Amino acid sequence: MLSQKAKYALKAMLALAEQKNGELLQAADIAEHQNVPRKFLELILLELRKQGLIHSHRGKHGGYALAKPADTITFGQIVRIMDGPLAPIPCASLTGYRRCVDCQDEKACAIRKAMREVRDAAAGILDGMTLESACSGGSAGARAALTS
């Protein structure tokens, strides 16, 4: 399940992607327009900045902007930064793989196979959805999911 933290991160990143010519948005404006608690948003923005997806400028006219083009940032990147691997169980993950201690034959494990398919389907959708495509209407389903 998508955490509230990841959902807020996606909302903030979409708000930044909608800005023209790298215009800056202040955290307070993002929080107000996206209905996100400001203090929580500030922590999210800090993490996104540490990961190189956004940059910030201090001062009266400061704020946040994307550090990369919107067509190069995917929903999958953002979700992984906020929530970790997409796989529902560690043995099905590509980025956070851990063998299950109770599994006797990983290659024959029906649970692992099913969860790997879940992971692959989620990754296919999230890694194929860029901020740019979402902003241009290519993600009616993804945007509807964020507002519910």
Side-chain angles (χ1 to χ4, degrees):
M1 181 183 317
L2 186 68
S3 71
Q4 203 61 25
K5 184 178 180 182
K7 183 177 177 181
Y8 290 161
L10 288 167
K11 285 182 163 194
M13 293 295 285
L14 286 168
L16 293 173
E18 290 174 345
Q19 298 306 300
K20 302 297 179 220
N21 302 321
E23 291 178 22
L24 300 176
L25 272 181
Q26 294 185 347
D29 293 331
I30 297 170
E32 181 180 338
H33 291 105
Q34 299 299 324
N35 197 26
V36 176
R38 183 176 174 183
K39 290 292 182 188
F40 194 28
L41 178 63
E42 288 173 354
L43 294 172
I44 291 167
L45 293 171
L46 179 64
E47 184 64 28
L48 292 168
R49 187 175 62 79
K50 285 181 183 177
Q51 296 296 320
L53 294 186
I54 63 174
H55 58 84
S56 62
H57 295 280
R58 293 181 180 223
K60 183 178 179 181
H61 299 291
Y64 295 88
L66 296 180
K68 300 177 179 184
D71 66 344
T72 66
I73 301 172
T74 68
F75 276 36
Q77 289 174 291
I78 298 164
V79 171
R80 285 182 187 95
I81 288 169
M82 294 296 126
D83 288 352
L86 299 177
I89 58 176
C91 68
S93 177
L94 295 180
T95 59
Y97 172 83
R98 278 193 335 262
R99 184 176 172 84
C100 295
V101 295
D102 60 343
C103 188
Q104 293 184 5
D105 185 3
E106 189 175 75
K107 290 183 180 180
C109 180
I111 297 169
R112 180 176 188 263
K113 287 179 184 177
M115 294 304 112
R116 187 64 181 261
E117 287 186 34
V118 169
R119 181 255 168 241
D120 291 347
I125 294 167
L126 295 173
D127 291 337
M129 179 66 58
T130 66
L131 293 176
E132 181 178 74
S133 64
C135 288
S136 65
S139 68
R143 290 193 88 149
L146 289 174
T147 58
S148 61

